[in-house]
Amino acid sequence: MKLAMIGLGKMGANMVRRLIRGGHEVVGFNRSKGIVNEMVETEGMIPAASVEEAVQMLTAPRVVWVMLPSGQTTEEFLYKIADLLQPGDILIDGGNSNFNDTVRHAEVIKQKGINFLDVGTSGGIWGLSVGYAMMIGGDPAVVEKIKPIFVTLAPGEDKGWGCVGPNGSGHFVKMVHNGIEYGMMEAYAEGFDILRAKKEFSLDLHQISQIWQYGSVVRSWLLDLTEAALSVDQDLSDIEGWVADSGEGRWTVFEAINKDVPAPIITLSLLRRLESRQTEHYAAKLLAAMRNQFGGHAVKKAGE
């Protein structure tokens, strides 16, 4: 099949590589031309100088896949592309959009007679070799029309992908997926921190991670990635303890609150990421000051 990919970040570019190697023709557009030139030279991607040109290179029914940062950028491109397409064409948002925005986007785009799919995509830099998990929201009949695309990107023909519900559901499921990911990562991080703190045992954290990879109930791909990181440097001396969040963990927590669903693990894992970015822990200072005020407890002065 032939399709256009708008946005060639790390994941978008690797998805194009997998599609082309799987026998599909891909027209690619990206604001930064460096990656476009690279993909043309190494993969045989068809370059487009603009979104308009990318659409013009396709034949009906056209398939355009957008892989851009969530928010205003995605919204602008989705509506711009929708104005260039014709009824019966297919427009896909494969980025990490907020599902509420996706529902709104779908309503606007479908009024033009254009089929819209939201595809929550997971796989990161490893997707190129092992395939991408795809949670699809939209009309199952539309998904079936472009099934070869999903089969090529997925880990297997009937593995790691599927239509989970109407528009918005794909991004909703991906949002919760990322929330779970936050909690799992935090649990591993805390566990290895406890192991490292037991200095008198001189534990080899890399060895332990390898042992847990086989037969253990806590084995997982995240553990495999942890083992890979520890194999380089158990002390992680070149890494600062500053952890970003993509936004989907926050959205998961917001939705849990909106639906009165207790989600303490996911919520705390998000708060731990926020805490990691504090260079000055004012709250901790205030706690120390209060203890000093009511009990005369000692405080540690700055610089001591």
Side-chain angles (χ1 to χ4, degrees), residues 2-7 25-30 45-59 62-65 77 81 84-85:
K2 188 174 184 179
L3 71 152
M5 181 71 73
I6 309 301
E25 287 186 274
V26 181
V27 177
F29 169 77
N30 196 71
M45 186 187 76
I46 304 168
S50 65
V51 171
E52 290 82 359
E53 185 175 77
V55 173
Q56 290 170 3
M57 290 182 179
L58 303 176
T59 55
R62 300 164 186 82
V63 180
V64 180
W65 191 309
F77 271 84
I81 295 167
L84 299 170
L85 297 178

Side-chain angles (χ1 to χ4, degrees), residues 179-187 189-190 243 245 249-250 252-254 256-257 261-277:
I180 294 171
E181 178 185 299
Y182 279 35
M184 292 175 66
M185 292 173 69
E186 180 64 26
E190 291 178 7
V243 187
D245 70 282
R250 299 181 186 218
T252 304
V253 171
F254 297 159
I257 294 172
V261 176
I265 303 302
I266 295 175
T267 302
L268 183 57
S269 67
L270 171 63
L271 297 180
R272 288 282 288 148
R273 292 192 179 203
L274 300 182
E275 183 184 33
S276 77
R277 284 171 264 173

Side-chain angles (χ1 to χ4, degrees), residues 12 29 69 76 116 185 201 209 273:
F29 169 77
E76 289 178 1
F116 181 72
M185 292 173 69
F201 282 171
S209 69
R273 292 192 179 203

Side-chain angles (χ1 to χ4, degrees), residues 97-210:
S97 294
N98 185 295
F99 77 95
N100 291 302
D101 291 338
T102 300
V103 171
R104 179 169 50 83
H105 295 158
E107 292 176 353
V108 174
I109 292 169
K110 288 164 70 175
Q111 287 177 2
K112 300 176 182 291
I114 298 164
N115 299 302
F116 181 72
L117 299 175
D118 52 287
V119 182
T121 310
S122 179
I125 60 176
W126 291 90
L128 175 60
S129 57
V130 302
Y132 297 90
M134 292 169 289
M135 299 137 267
I136 308 168
D139 186 345
V142 176
V143 175
E144 186 65 26
K145 289 180 181 179
I146 57 172
K147 180 178 177 180
I149 293 175
F150 297 121
V151 169
T152 300
L153 290 171
E157 184 172 352
D158 58 354
K159 295 179 180 178
W161 73 281
C163 187
V164 297
N167 283 130
S169 66
H171 284 153
F172 180 81
V173 174
K174 176 57 163 53
M175 175 193 75
V176 176
H177 163 283
N178 279 28
I180 294 171
E181 178 185 299
Y182 279 35
M184 292 175 66
M185 292 173 69
E186 180 64 26
Y188 279 126
E190 291 178 7
F192 278 96
D193 200 11
I194 296 169
L195 293 172
R196 184 172 181 268
K198 195 66 173 175
K199 301 297 185 182
E200 60 267 36
F201 282 171
S202 300
L203 298 173
D204 185 331
L205 302 188
H206 180 232
Q207 178 199 30
I208 293 168
S209 69
Q210 289 181 312

